[in-house]
Amino acid sequence: MTGVMTAEMTIWDRQYECMPRELLRELQLQRLQQTLRRVYTQVPCYQNKFRDLGVEPGDIRSLEDLRHLPFTTKEDLRLNYPYGMFAVPMREVVRIHSSSGTTGKPTVVGYTRNDIRVWSNLVARFMTAAGVTADDIVHIAFGYGLFTGAFGLHYGSEEIGASVIPISSGNTDKQLMIMQDYRSTALVCTPSYALTLADRMQQKGIAPEALALKYGLFGGEPWSEEMRREIENRLGLVATDNYGLSEVMGPGVAGECQCQNGMHLFEDHFIAEIIDPETGAVLDAGAEGELVLTSITKEAFPIIRYRTRDITRLDETPCACGRTLVRMMKTSGRSDDMLIIKGVNVFPTQIEEVLFQVEGCQPHYQLVIEREGTLDTLEVQVEVNESIFFDEMKKQRQFVDMLQKRLLSALGVGARVKLVEPSSMPRYEGKASRVIDRRRLVDKK
Amino acid sequence: MKVEQISIFIENKSGRLAEVTQALGDAGVNIRALSLADTSDFGILRLIVDKTDQALTALKGRGFTVSKTEVVAVEVPDRPAGLASILGILDGGQVNVEYMYAFVERCGGNAVIIFRFDDAEAAIRVLLQQGVHVLEGERVYSM
C-alpha cells in the first residue's frame, strides 16, 4: 500500500492539477472567451452557427452561458472536410491526424507546435498519475498512423523521460517476445488487446511473473470494472483508464490516477458538460448523460460544445490523490450504440459484465437485435469453450438458463442466449464491434 | 470397468457433422458408437472410438470444443424385457441414468448399451452384484 501512496504523491503539474476550483472556473471563463472570439472570426462554420442562434462571443459572460451556444457534431466536421474547421493558416499546422469515419469520410484535425506541446504535457499528466516515471519502459501497442492514440502516448512518455518502445499494433507473439526481452514496464493498448495478450500468454505458458509489467494504460474503447480486474490479475499490473478523442485532441482529455475512481478531466484545457442525449438539455453535475466538450486552449482545431456521444457522469468530490480536477466515470456506452430494446436502454458493456461474472466466460460474444413483427428481440451469442461445455444436455441447458436469468435481471429486458462454436466471431485487435442491429434494415424504408 | 467417451459441441448449422466425421476419418479413427442430443441451436455429439486420444487431438486441431467423459458399457440380453431387467436392477440400487444409447455391434449374442450414470462407481457395483456383465474399455474400442 505504501508504494501506491508514494506514486499518488507524484503530480506532473501541481499548479493546475490541484488548483482551487474557484480559481479554475475563472481561468476557464477567461480562456473560453478568448477561444470564442477566435473561432467566431476565423472559422465560418462557427460564425454561421452562432448567428443562426443569435449569439455572439460577447454574450458569454459566465460559464453557465455556455449552454446558449450551439453544439458541434461529427456531421459538422464532415461537412467541413478536410480543413474547414481549422482556425489557423496551414503554415502554422505541424501535424495532421484523422479519426475513423463510421460512415463516409474520416474527420481531419490539426495541431500547431504549441498544441503538440500542450497535448504532450496533458498525456504526461495522466501517465504520471497512472504511475509512469522516467525509469519506465513504455510499450506502445496502439497502431502508429493517422489515429491519435499511439502518437499521443508516445510524445507524453518522452515528455516524462520514459523509454518508449514504439512497437505499434499487431503480431501478438512478437509483442510478447519484446515485452519479455526488453523488460517493458508499462503497457499501452486497448483493454481488449490486453486480454488478447493474456490469452496468448496462457496458450504459450508464459506466467505474468515472466514479464516486468507494472502499469497498464488502457483506452480507446469502453471497458468494465470486471474487465479491469481480469486484466490486472492475468497480466500482473495496475490498470488505469484514460480518455480522449481526436476531435477534441486525442488521449489526454482525462485520465485515472492510481485511486482508480474515475478519470481526472483536465479542466484548465477543456470544459465538460453533461447533457440529455435526447433533448440536448444540460443536466446537473453528477447526473448520467452524454459528455459534451469544449476546448479552451487549442489553436489549430478549437472545438465548441462537441457531442462526444459518450455516456458518463462527473464527480466533483475531492479525490484522495490531491487533484482538484473533476473525475469522469468510465464511459458506460455511447449514446449512439445505446440499444433500445422493447423500450429499455441497453448498453453492450452491461452484457459484458454479466458474461464476466460467469467463471470461464471470456468476452467473445456478439449481440444480434432483430424485430419480429413489432417486437424487438435480443440474442446474445456466446462462444463456447471447454470450461462452459458440459457433456450432459441438462447441465448445458441449465447454463444457458442461468445466463438468461442473469441477463434479464441486469438489463431489465429478456435476452436469448445462443451458444456458438469457438472462433465463429471476428477477432479485433483494436475496437471491437459486437453489435449487429438488423432492425435498421427494416427502419430505413 | 469404464469406457472413455468424447463429447463434441456442434452448432446447429449445415455441414458440421460431416466436418467432425471427416476430421476423424482423416486421422484414421474409427467410430464404434455414437449418439446426438440436440436442441434447435446446438447439439452434443457423443462418440466412442477406437483411438480416443488421436480423435481428441484431431478435433481440437480443427477448432472444436471437446471433452472426455467416462461411461459404462453393459451387456444386455437381446430379448423382450432384456433392457427392462437391467434398468430394474439400477433402479433398485438407486442409481440414476443421465443418458444411454445402443452400441452397433453385439457381444456374444447380447446387445451392448452405453450408460452415463450420476455415480458410475455405484452403478458398476450394483450391476456386478446382480451378475450383469460390464465390458472393459479395451474390449469395447476393438469390437
Side-chain angles (χ1 to χ4, degrees):
Chain A
M1 221 30 224
T2 47
V4 173
M5 291 310 289
T6 320
E8 278 168 19
M9 298 303 288
T10 313
I11 293 176
W12 180 255
D13 192 340
R14 189 173 287 274
Q15 184 194 345
Y16 288 101
E17 292 182 76
C18 303
M19 188 177 246
R21 292 200 63 82
E22 320 81 72
L23 287 179
L24 183 64
R25 288 175 65 81
E26 278 174 34
L27 179 71
Q28 281 187 315
L29 180 60
Q30 181 199 339
R31 287 178 166 179
L32 172 66
Q33 287 169 333
Q34 282 168 3
T35 297
L36 292 177
R37 278 194 295 274
R38 275 195 339 104
V39 299
Y40 194 77
T41 52
Q42 303 298 323
V43 185
C45 169
Y46 283 119
Q47 191 173 94
N48 294 336
K49 286 169 73 93
F50 285 18
R51 280 184 174 161
D52 285 347
L53 288 185
V55 285
E56 285 183 10
D59 297 335
I60 308 305
R61 296 188 191 88
S62 72
L63 289 177
E64 283 65 39
D65 289 339
L66 186 58
R67 67 186 65 193
H68 302 310
L69 294 174
F71 292 118
T72 305
T73 63
K74 199 147 178 127
E75 181 64 14
D76 292 316
L77 307 187
R78 219 169 10 239
L79 290 172
N80 289 281
Y81 176 85
Y83 299 137
M85 302 294 278
F86 283 26
V88 297
M90 285 306 283
R91 68 180 315 261
E92 289 179 40
V93 173
V94 300
R95 178 94 66 80
I96 286 166
H97 278 291
S98 183
S99 82
S100 51
T102 42
T103 50
K105 299 272 191 188
T107 51
V108 182
V109 296
Y111 304 79
T112 64
R113 199 174 298 284
N114 190 53
D115 287 336
I116 295 284
R117 194 185 57 79
V118 169
W119 184 17
S120 308
N121 265 282
L122 295 185
V123 174
R125 281 189 189 179
F126 79 75
M127 292 189 77
T128 301
V132 176
T133 69
D135 295 322
D136 281 296
I137 299 173
V138 183
H139 186 100
I140 299 183
F142 278 139
Y144 277 72
L146 281 173
F147 296 135
T148 49
F151 279 98
L153 272 290
H154 184 110
Y155 275 63
S157 303
E158 289 191 350
E159 191 67 39
I160 291 173
S163 319
V164 182
I165 303 176
I167 184 152
S168 197
S169 57
N171 200 342
T172 304
D173 284 344
K174 188 178 172 194
Q175 301 264 359
L176 289 173
M177 182 195 80
I178 291 196
M179 249 188 255
Q180 284 179 286
D181 294 352
Y182 297 10
R183 313 299 294 158
S184 312
T185 58
L187 172 65
V188 172
C189 61
T190 59
S192 59
Y193 191 60
L195 282 179
T196 301
L197 286 168
D199 285 348
R200 192 78 188 117
M201 282 167 62
Q202 204 169 352
Q203 280 171 6
K204 300 184 72 169
I206 302 172
E209 299 76 44
L211 304 181
L213 291 176
K214 291 189 289 183
Y215 311 112
L217 294 85
F218 304 116
E221 62 186 18
W223 49 311
S224 57
E225 283 300 324
E226 279 73 18
M227 201 159 165
R228 187 211 299 268
R229 280 190 285 278
E230 167 143 7
I231 292 171
E232 288 188 328
N233 289 335
R234 295 179 65 190
L235 291 179
L237 46 71
V238 176
T240 51
D241 197 2
N242 64 78
Y243 177 82
L245 60 173
S246 66
E247 294 88 341
V248 176
M249 186 181 69
V253 173
E256 257 182 340
C257 65
Q258 291 193 24
C259 299
Q260 295 181 326
N261 61 0
M263 298 175 277
H264 292 283
L265 197 143
F266 303 135
E267 294 168 285
D268 49 330
H269 295 271
F270 309 100
I271 298 176
E273 297 168 277
I274 296 289
I275 64 161
D276 179 332
E278 299 290 321
T279 64
V282 176
L283 303 177
D284 289 338
E288 186 171 83
E290 181 182 332
L291 178 69
V292 169
L293 289 170
T294 298
S295 77
I296 50 174
T297 55
K298 279 178 76 195
E299 296 176 343
F301 194 89
I303 196 144
I304 309 300
R305 299 198 86 200
Y306 185 67
R307 298 271 313 246
T308 66
R309 301 287 173 187
D310 287 315
I311 303 295
T312 184
R313 59 188 175 81
L314 301 175
D315 189 345
E316 286 189 7
T317 59
C319 181
C321 72
R323 290 174 182 82
T324 53
L325 301 167
V326 73
R327 282 170 293 128
M328 166 187 165
M329 296 302 122
K330 266 186 181 307
T331 56
S332 61
R334 288 177 56 81
S335 66
D336 50 2
D337 84 10
M338 180 174 83
L339 307 164
I340 303 178
I341 295 161
K342 295 177 188 166
V344 179
N345 295 348
V346 172
F347 292 102
T349 43
Q350 293 174 289
I351 292 163
E352 187 178 293
E353 285 199 19
V354 171
L355 295 180
F356 257 102
Q357 283 159 8
V358 178
E359 201 182 348
C361 208
Q362 293 295 311
H364 292 312
Y365 69 95
Q366 207 162 46
L367 311 179
V368 180
I369 304 114
E370 292 188 280
R371 181 163 291 161
E372 292 171 6
T374 55
L375 271 186
D376 296 334
T377 59
L378 170 62
E379 184 177 83
V380 180
Q381 299 183 345
V382 181
E383 277 190 14
V384 80
N385 61 44
E386 281 177 24
S387 57
I388 58 170
F389 171 45
F390 304 94
D391 159 65
E392 290 158 58
M393 186 56 86
K394 188 174 66 186
K395 286 186 185 161
Q396 195 67 68
R397 299 194 67 144
Q398 278 169 352
F399 175 79
V400 170
D401 287 345
M402 180 269 291
L403 267 186
Q404 289 182 163
K405 278 187 190 132
R406 290 199 187 187
L407 284 169
L408 176 62
S409 80
L411 307 177
V413 65
R416 184 175 171 280
V417 170
K418 181 180 180 184
L419 296 177
V420 297
E421 285 177 15
S423 308
S424 39
M425 290 163 196
R427 294 288 191 273
Y428 300 89
E429 294 204 337
K431 295 191 183 196
S433 162
R434 307 190 189 275
V435 180
I436 299 169
D437 195 341
R438 299 212 173 104
R439 293 175 301 181
R440 286 179 192 150
L441 299 172
V442 180
D443 292 343
K444 261 185 187 164
K445 51 178 183 188
Chain B
M1 286 310 230
K2 286 183 227 161
V3 179
E4 284 185 335
Q5 171 196 261
I6 55 181
S7 305
I8 305 137
F9 180 89
I10 294 183
E11 226 181 292
N12 206 345
K13 57 186 185 191
S14 61
R16 299 310 287 158
L17 259 179
E19 178 107 29
V20 171
T21 48
Q22 189 60 51
L24 294 175
D26 291 349
V29 172
N30 198 0
I31 299 171
R32 309 307 308 149
L34 67 83
S35 98
L36 180 65
D38 64 348
T39 68
S40 57
D41 288 338
F42 66 89
I44 300 171
L45 178 65
R46 303 169 187 126
L47 297 174
I48 291 173
V49 297
D50 56 350
K51 286 170 274 188
T52 306
D53 289 339
Q54 279 98 318
L56 281 172
T57 312
L59 291 168
K60 281 185 182 172
R62 301 258 180 130
F64 283 99
T65 300
V66 190
S67 73
K68 190 161 81 170
T69 41
E70 286 184 324
V71 291
V72 180
V74 181
E75 255 189 64
V76 178
D78 193 3
R79 54 170 169 76
L83 180 57
S85 67
I86 301 288
L87 292 175
I89 290 168
L90 292 167
D91 197 34
Q94 305 209 318
V95 176
N96 289 317
V97 177
E98 299 288 355
Y99 58 80
M100 56 183 228
Y101 56 97
F103 208 78
V104 187
E105 296 290 335
R106 287 153 60 97
C107 180
N110 286 332
V112 176
I113 305 280
I114 303 293
F115 283 94
R116 172 99 154 111
F117 297 109
D118 59 350
D119 185 346
E121 306 292 347
I124 291 169
R125 211 178 321 117
V126 168
L127 289 167
L128 291 179
Q129 275 168 6
Q130 299 294 322
V132 177
H133 194 193
V134 177
L135 295 171
E136 293 287 346
E138 287 312 316
R139 179 81 205 283
V140 176
Y141 308 142
S142 61
M143 269 172 75

